Amino acid sequence: QKEVEQDPGPLSVPEGAIVSLNCTYSNSAFQYFMWYRQYSRKGPELLMYTYSSGNKEDGRFTAQVDKSSKYISLFIRDSQPSDSATYLCAMRAIGAGSYQLTFGKGTKLSVIP
Amino acid sequence: GAVVSQHPSWVICKSGTSVKIECRSLDFQATTMFWYRQFPKQSLMLMATSNEGSKATYEQGVEKDKFLINHASLTLSTLTVTSAHPEDSSFYICSAEGTNQPQHFGDGTRLSIL
């Protein structure tokens, strides 16, 4: 079993839809959770960063973490064509020497006008 | 938000030459910097981790003498691809992490070796 599982999609939704992106993980040492957005031929852009279970909201984006189920989600409300990109979940443990991120494979999202 | 600048964004060079890529954290001190390689339609592959003033730690299978990493200051790291060959052609991305700053990524460098 891979440490982080993420459905690669592709996922295609109409403009204005609510998008739900998910990752599951197996390593209980992971304590920090991030979502990145990557456009083609660009580096990943940090969207959300959280370290506790529960919800964190930033504009149209909501990150949800359930440590008991080892499951994280990113919700995008009122999706726009400009949201079309690949979304990567990433996580890391805490403590000395644990700064490396473990990534999901990324979900490719297309928002259709 | 925090900004990481990577330069150049695209470079084409002849086989056998060396190429240097710069990565700068513009508005925070990067205690740790990372270099990744990304193949088309794949996720990021960590090449090496570097802390300011110390030698980089390379991932298994990454040639230290091929990919030279220098992290001379808290805002600058460089990756030099030495004696580059066509198989080194790829998308290279740096990232930087600081105290209370999660990893922020540069925009990547597309390297094409002819």
Side-chain angles (χ1 to χ4, degrees), chain A residues 10-15 19 80-81 83-85 87 108-112:
Chain A
L11 179 63
S12 185
V13 301
E15 182 175 355
V19 176
Q80 303 295 310
D83 295 327
S84 298
Y87 289 80
K108 186 172 183 179
L109 171 68
S110 295
V111 180
I112 311 302

Side-chain angles (χ1 to χ4, degrees), chain B residues 1-6 24-28 75 96 101 104-106:
Chain B
V3 178
V4 174
S5 174
Q6 187 172 342
R24 295 180 184 271
S25 58
L26 298 185
D27 53 1
F28 69 98
T75 59
Q101 282 286 357
H104 292 271
F105 288 82

Side-chain angles (χ1 to χ4, degrees), chain B residues 51-111:
Chain B
N51 294 296
E52 184 263 340
S54 61
K55 289 184 178 180
T57 301
Y58 290 81
E59 294 300 299
Q60 192 172 9
V62 178
E63 297 177 57
K64 300 178 183 181
D65 296 331
K66 160 69 79 175
F67 301 100
L68 300 179
I69 291 171
N70 183 278
H71 190 168
S73 76
L74 284 172
T75 59
L76 174 64
S77 177
T78 60
L79 168 68
T80 301
V81 183
T82 62
S83 187
H85 291 284
E87 59 266 28
D88 299 322
S89 298
S90 192
F91 191 50
Y92 293 88
I93 311 174
C94 73
S95 70
E97 181 178 277
T99 303
N100 298 320
Q101 282 286 357
Q103 276 191 46
H104 292 271
F105 288 82
D107 262 347
T109 297
R110 188 161 303 278
L111 175 62

Side-chain angles (χ1 to χ4, degrees), chain A residues 92-108:
Chain A
R92 57 165 279 192
I94 56 174
S98 60
Y99 32 67
Q100 290 185 10
L101 294 181
T102 301
F103 290 91
K105 286 196 173 297
T107 300
K108 186 172 183 179

Side-chain angles (χ1 to χ4, degrees), chain B residues 2 11-12 23 40 44 49 78:
Chain B
V11 59
I12 302 174
C23 181
L44 296 92
T49 302
T78 60

Side-chain angles (χ1 to χ4, degrees), chain A residues 1-4 24-30 70:
Chain A
Q1 182 187 11
K2 294 180 181 176
E3 279 196 297
V4 179
T24 59
Y25 63 97
S26 58
N27 188 346
S28 57
F30 289 144
K70 297 188 177 67

Side-chain angles (χ1 to χ4, degrees), chain A:
Chain A
Q1 182 187 11
K2 294 180 181 176
E3 279 196 297
V4 179
E5 298 275 4
Q6 182 177 9
D7 187 340
L11 179 63
S12 185
V13 301
E15 182 175 355
I18 297 174
V19 176
S20 173
L21 304 167
N22 312 294
C23 288
T24 59
Y25 63 97
S26 58
N27 188 346
S28 57
F30 289 144
Q31 296 294 320
Y32 291 102
F33 305 92
M34 286 137 282
W35 285 96
Y36 291 89
R37 176 176 64 194
Q38 186 175 23
Y39 293 112
S40 181
R41 303 190 179 212
K42 291 287 188 180
E45 173 192 3
L46 181 65
L47 289 177
M48 301 291 283
Y49 170 57
T50 184
Y51 50 84
S52 57
S53 282
N55 294 351
K56 182 178 180 180
E57 190 173 316
D58 185 0
R60 295 186 296 112
F61 298 95
T62 299
Q64 189 175 78
V65 174
D66 183 347
K67 290 185 180 180
S68 62
S69 300
K70 297 188 177 67
Y71 186 89
I72 68 171
S73 300
L74 178 71
F75 298 97
I76 307 173
R77 290 183 298 281
D78 187 25
S79 56
Q80 303 295 310
S82 58
D83 295 327
S84 298
T86 296
Y87 289 80
L88 298 159
C89 65
M91 45 200 80
R92 57 165 279 192
I94 56 174
S98 60
Y99 32 67
Q100 290 185 10
L101 294 181
T102 301
F103 290 91
K105 286 196 173 297
T107 300
K108 186 172 183 179
L109 171 68
S110 295
V111 180
I112 311 302

